[in-house]
Amino acid sequence: MAGTPVAPVPGVSAGGGASVRTPSRLHLVLSAGALAVALTTGALATGAARQATPAPASLPVTSPRLLSGDDLAASIRGLQAHLRAQPRDAEAWSTLALAYVEQARTEGDPSRYPQADKALDRALELRPHHDPALAGRAALAAARHDFRGALKYADEALSRNPYNERALCSRIDALVELGRYEEASKAADLADSRRPGVPVFTRYAYARELRGDTATAREVLTRALGTAATRGDVAYVATALGQLAWNQGQYRTALRHYARALAADDTYLPALEGRARTQAALGDRAAAITGMERVVARAPLPQPLVELGELYEERGGKGDTARARDQYALVHAWVSLARANGVDADLDTALAAADHGERGAALKAARAEWKRRHTVHTADALAWALHVNGRDEEALPYARRATATGYRSASFRYHRGMIERAAGRPDRARASLTAALGLNPGFAPLGARAAHAALASLGGTE
């Protein structure tokens, strides 16, 4: 419409050109400000570190015409150009917001979330109660770990359109992350009946895995892989199968799945991360370190940063202690940056600080997270934070709760065993530590070594 003011497009320069980030090496930085500079000026490749809840295999978009292909950055530039010409296209604003959320997730760059906020504001200004925009609000809230908000927006979107795939998936994610597992399973069943496809299948599989039903999870993911029609979906589902196999200590199987994922997309970071983790478990430390260095250079997220730091510590060569400290400092910097952009990062803080930071801060963060949501992951984090602060009797109920659903996690079993040992329950500790090493003997570079040492001190067998 002639004379209609053109709203500025988030991420587009005042001169009309899309913001394009130029390649540069991500140098180690020890402050949130420096990390922010590195994230916003360095070229970070697409791919995602696996989170507690699997992220969608591909970005379910409101307009495939506007967001297509494997190059997310190019798609964003295309959307920005389209919106400069058609600023009243609410569908495109919603799609751009989802693209920013995906970019933030895959690149570990929380500074994209405010851009998504602005795009969603514009979409809802143009079309109040627009279900793609409401679903975008749900996705953004989930990305920021505001899972109650995600559930609220997902339900609102579904009240407008019961078949909105993004809203159906965000609803499952929110219920899982709130620890409402029975409801999450029902939500997955409902989503499967309405919008069967890879994003729903992977969430359904994870809901089953959380309850210890790895056989069904594997079957669902295998079927999903058979239906995957794009390279992105193949990479995502194959990686999910690799992670499931790794969790069960099936390392050769995991490597086959990661190879399948990387054959589809050799830049897919979750597969690169999973392969490095599996190589470490198999004792190929050099390949593991090289692989994890490649991952954190492109997406400096807490989990791979901690794992790389522990690999350096385990190697113990000249300069490795300093290298490990650098990785742990980057975790702290990422958490600060995430919080500055509206992300609740308490779980990341608790897990990293308990082993490699300030123990009091770990406990504070874990308690704060537990007040918000009661999941197996928050129970485990709180139990471990209490343990490292010498409060083992208080930690025990949470450690038991973390393992109560049947979720097969060697880390959870290891934490429980160490807490039981410290609390003076040697028989239970021996059983838990044996279970951890029997399930996944290479679950963590330093944790596995500590588990072996603890078992030896208890006179246990491995």
Side-chain angles (χ1 to χ4, degrees), residues 13-105:
S13 67
S19 299
V20 180
R21 292 182 290 172
T22 57
S24 66
R25 178 175 175 78
L26 178 65
H27 297 287
L28 289 176
V29 290
L30 301 180
S31 70
L35 182 62
V37 171
L39 283 169
T40 55
T41 61
L44 301 175
T46 301
R50 187 178 188 271
Q51 304 169 29
T53 303
S58 57
L59 183 60
V61 298
T62 54
S63 175
R65 176 179 59 84
L66 292 175
L67 184 57
S68 60
D70 297 317
D71 188 344
L72 184 60
S75 296
I76 288 173
R77 291 193 294 272
L79 281 163
Q80 291 168 338
H82 170 82
L83 284 165
R84 285 194 295 274
Q86 301 289 334
R88 298 189 63 80
D89 187 341
E91 291 275 351
W93 283 110
S94 299
T95 303
L96 179 62
L98 285 172
Y100 283 142
V101 171
E102 181 73 355
Q103 193 172 54
R105 181 186 69 81

Side-chain angles (χ1 to χ4, degrees), residues 247-272:
N247 282 341
Q248 315 310 310
Q250 299 165 359
Y251 302 138
R252 298 298 177 187
T253 300
L255 285 177
R256 286 198 298 273
H257 289 307
Y258 293 134
R260 174 80 181 273
L262 292 169
D265 180 357
D266 62 3
T267 69
Y268 192 57
L269 282 176
L272 291 169

Side-chain angles (χ1 to χ4, degrees), residues 206-444:
Y206 186 62
R208 300 305 302 181
E209 184 186 357
L210 281 171
R211 300 172 69 180
D213 188 359
T214 56
T216 298
R218 186 180 303 108
E219 180 182 355
V220 170
L221 289 173
T222 301
R223 291 182 179 180
L225 185 59
T227 66
T230 68
R231 291 194 298 115
D233 281 355
V234 170
Y236 179 76
V237 181
T239 299
L241 278 163
Q243 179 66 22
L244 182 64
W246 183 85
N247 282 341
Q248 315 310 310
Q250 299 165 359
Y251 302 138
R252 298 298 177 187
T253 300
L255 285 177
R256 286 198 298 273
H257 289 307
Y258 293 134
R260 174 80 181 273
L262 292 169
D265 180 357
D266 62 3
T267 69
Y268 192 57
L269 282 176
L272 291 169
E273 181 183 343
R275 184 176 67 181
R277 186 180 299 119
T278 307
Q279 288 166 334
L282 286 168
D284 190 353
R285 186 194 297 133
I289 289 176
T290 298
M292 206 63 80
E293 286 174 339
R294 181 181 176 189
V295 170
V296 302
R298 293 163 56 191
L301 290 161
Q303 184 172 331
L305 285 167
V306 168
E307 289 179 310
L308 179 57
E310 292 192 350
L311 284 169
Y312 287 142
E313 284 196 62
E314 184 195 36
R315 184 172 65 181
K318 183 179 180 180
D320 278 339
T321 298
R323 292 186 185 94
R325 281 199 302 265
D326 286 341
Q327 308 314 306
Y328 306 144
L330 277 172
V331 174
H332 177 74
W334 182 91
V335 167
S336 297
L337 179 62
R339 285 176 171 162
N341 286 279
V343 180
D344 164 25
D346 279 330
L347 186 58
D348 299 286
T349 299
L351 291 170
D355 286 326
H356 306 292
E358 207 278 305
R359 296 175 180 180
L363 183 54
K364 180 181 179 182
R367 286 197 186 282
E369 195 67 18
W370 183 253
K371 287 180 181 178
R372 282 187 286 269
R373 53 192 179 117
H374 293 176
T375 71
V376 292
H377 297 280
T378 51
D380 173 69
L382 180 52
W384 194 240
L386 287 164
H387 165 70
V388 300
N389 280 275
R391 303 170 69 164
D392 294 293
E393 288 295 337
E394 190 178 349
L396 271 174
Y398 296 104
R400 291 168 182 155
R401 184 161 180 165
T403 57
T405 68
Y407 181 49
R408 292 169 59 81
S409 167
S411 292
F412 287 9
R413 289 288 175 182
Y414 160 67
H415 288 161
R416 177 171 171 170
M418 297 298 279
I419 292 166
E420 289 167 336
R421 175 172 171 261
R425 285 141 170 97
D427 291 341
R428 293 179 182 177
R430 191 178 298 111
S432 294
L433 293 168
T434 300
L437 292 169
L439 175 62
N440 185 354
F443 66 90

Side-chain angles (χ1 to χ4, degrees), residues 152-230:
K152 171 181 173 288
Y153 285 119
D155 283 339
E156 192 174 346
L158 292 169
S159 73
R160 300 282 171 177
N161 176 9
Y163 294 89
N164 185 299
E165 182 182 54
R166 169 62 76 172
L168 288 165
C169 289
S170 291
R171 189 168 193 276
I172 301 168
D173 292 345
L175 290 168
V176 165
E177 292 297 340
L178 290 169
R180 294 159 60 174
Y181 297 133
E182 289 294 335
E183 292 176 77
S185 291
K186 292 177 182 178
D189 289 336
L190 178 64
D192 185 40
S193 70
R194 291 180 179 176
R195 290 295 301 271
V198 167
V200 172
F201 294 159
T202 53
R203 285 167 169 84
Y204 184 92
Y206 186 62
R208 300 305 302 181
E209 184 186 357
L210 281 171
R211 300 172 69 180
D213 188 359
T214 56
T216 298
R218 186 180 303 108
E219 180 182 355
V220 170
L221 289 173
T222 301
R223 291 182 179 180
L225 185 59
T227 66
T230 68

